Amino acid sequence: MSKLGTYETVKLEHENGITFVVMNRPEKRNAMSPQLHFDMNDALDDCIMDDDTKVVVLTGAGPAFCAGQDIKEFFRASDKDPKVRLKNRRASHGWRWEKLSKFPKPTIAMINGYCFGGAFTQVSACDLAIAADEAVFGLSEVNWGIIPGGIVSWNVVNVLGFRDAMWYAVTGETFTGKEAAAIKFVNKSVPLADLRATTMKLALALKEKSPVAYRYTRDAIRSTRGMTVEQAADYLNAKSDALKTGDPEKNREKAMTQFLDEKSFKPGLGNFKR
Ligand code: COA
């Protein structure tokens, strides 16, 4: 039974095990108001609890993915109230980084249009990202006198090369989805007309992976970046051991049987049958 709810500024669309989490303020280009941050925290929690949601795709309604923080409702409205600013900041960081970067199910950012400023964080937090060729990206903060704050500066130096991160941060120049793919801010870009079908195909492929192995793999790639080689070896050995006993579906054994005994699949060339 689906546990997906309804929200003021977020829309959930469910299709074949894939839940599209849609930032839904198209008239404001999906700029992130405090309400959107609160709704996204609730919506993502609902997606975790919903057994029918196997993969989450984050996208935007209308012509934008997300025009960054809402300059009126997120910035100006709390300029004189540090307590409100703190509350909103915590909600904003909560879903865009803490929840999404360690989400217990696969996540894909589907960038359908404008993607500015603070929106770079949720793109970086998703496991994979596909953009429309026509999408427009920009670190526009410098254009109006602020810095890529929250954790945007940290995101771009981690995901992009140093020269590209610096270029776009200090010039505020926009770049297209095609360019975003070339500098690897996203995995790939496709024409807007093909974006949903391409993303759906990827989501359905991720849905077939062993869920625990997928999650541990994603965590391994994220977590080992900041470790020494000794720490990484310890962490990865511990995770591998945990996987042997911690998978309720026993997929490791199933896959070994299919390869070694039944000879029904080749791990190098595709996924085992769950
Ligand atoms: N904060 C608050 N409101 C925003 C917004 C934002 N980040 N981005 C767009 N909006 C609002 C506009 O003020 C406008 O509101 P109105 O209809 O009440 O006047 C509405 O959304 C539509 O925006 P508009 O500029 O008319 O649309 P557009 O399609 O011509 O341009 C953008 C879209 C995204 C290029 C443009 O709105 C823009 O530059 N937004 C700011 C992007 C930005 O720098 N974000 C970083 C914030 S840290």
Side-chain angles (χ1 to χ4, degrees):
M1 185 65 184
S2 174
K3 290 191 173 57
L4 301 175
T6 52
Y7 323 85
E8 198 178 315
T9 63
V10 174
K11 186 171 57 171
L12 298 185
E13 295 166 358
H14 189 78
E15 191 184 335
N16 202 3
I18 315 304
T19 298
F20 287 77
V21 178
V22 186
M23 295 171 277
N24 192 25
R25 302 180 73 217
E27 71 293 349
K28 298 289 180 189
R29 306 299 179 256
N30 307 319
M32 295 180 285
S33 61
Q35 187 61 47
L36 185 135
H37 293 310
F38 303 143
D39 288 346
M40 283 297 311
N41 275 288
D42 291 343
L44 290 176
D45 283 348
D46 284 352
C47 289
I48 292 173
M49 299 304 290
D50 180 37
D51 289 337
D52 294 336
T53 296
K54 309 295 185 195
V55 177
V56 157
V57 175
L58 178 68
T59 192
F65 174 74
C66 173
Q69 297 287 10
D70 188 305
I71 295 170
K72 186 174 170 194
E73 294 190 35
F74 186 85
F75 288 112
R76 184 186 270 172
S78 62
D79 268 352
K80 296 195 174 63
D81 194 336
K83 280 190 287 191
V84 171
R85 174 64 60 88
L86 180 64
K87 180 180 172 194
N88 295 343
R89 260 191 191 158
R90 289 171 68 92
S92 164
H93 185 66
W95 78 267
R96 290 185 308 139
W97 187 253
E98 287 169 7
K99 280 188 188 167
L100 269 183
S101 68
K102 288 287 166 85
F103 205 70
K105 303 176 183 186
T107 56
I108 304 169
M110 182 175 96
I111 301 104
N112 51 305
Y114 292 123
C115 177
F116 285 105
F120 278 52
T121 293
Q122 59 263 39
V123 174
S124 306
C126 286
D127 302 340
L128 300 171
I130 304 184
D133 290 341
E134 301 91 328
V136 174
F137 293 77
L139 289 169
S140 51
E141 289 90 339
V142 74
N143 292 343
W144 64 283
I146 67 165
I147 62 168
I151 57 164
V152 172
S153 294
W154 185 84
N155 290 137
V156 292
V157 289
N158 273 291
V159 178
L160 298 179
F162 178 81
R163 281 287 166 222
D164 289 318
M166 185 66 88
W167 183 277
Y168 290 113
V170 300
T171 65
E173 262 180 27
T174 59
F175 52 101
T176 63
K178 261 191 180 165
E179 288 163 324
I183 62 173
K184 286 294 163 205
F185 185 55
V186 298
N187 294 96
K188 62 159 115 172
S189 75
V190 295
L192 180 60
D194 302 333
L195 182 63
R196 196 171 172 111
T198 305
T199 307
M200 196 65 189
K201 191 170 165 210
L202 173 64
L204 290 173
L206 298 184
K207 186 179 131 181
E208 295 310 313
K209 303 291 177 197
S210 160
V212 184
Y214 180 94
R215 195 166 77 240
Y216 281 20
T217 301
R218 193 273 318 280
D219 290 349
I221 295 296
R222 279 208 189 271
S223 301
T224 52
R225 291 191 91 187
M227 293 182 190
T228 64
V229 65
E230 290 80 9
Q231 289 166 334
D234 269 354
Y235 169 91
L236 293 169
N237 286 334
K239 281 282 189 182
S240 299
D241 290 345
L243 191 56
K244 273 186 229 156
T245 53
D247 180 1
E249 294 182 9
K250 303 261 176 270
N251 285 315
R252 186 176 177 276
E253 289 70 24
K254 245 186 262 173
M256 274 199 273
T257 304
Q258 288 173 25
F259 178 51
L260 299 176
D261 306 325
E262 297 168 2
K263 304 204 180 296
S264 57
F265 101 113
K266 295 189 187 295
L269 302 180
N271 210 59
F272 75 104
K273 229 178 172 45
R274 269 175 72 203

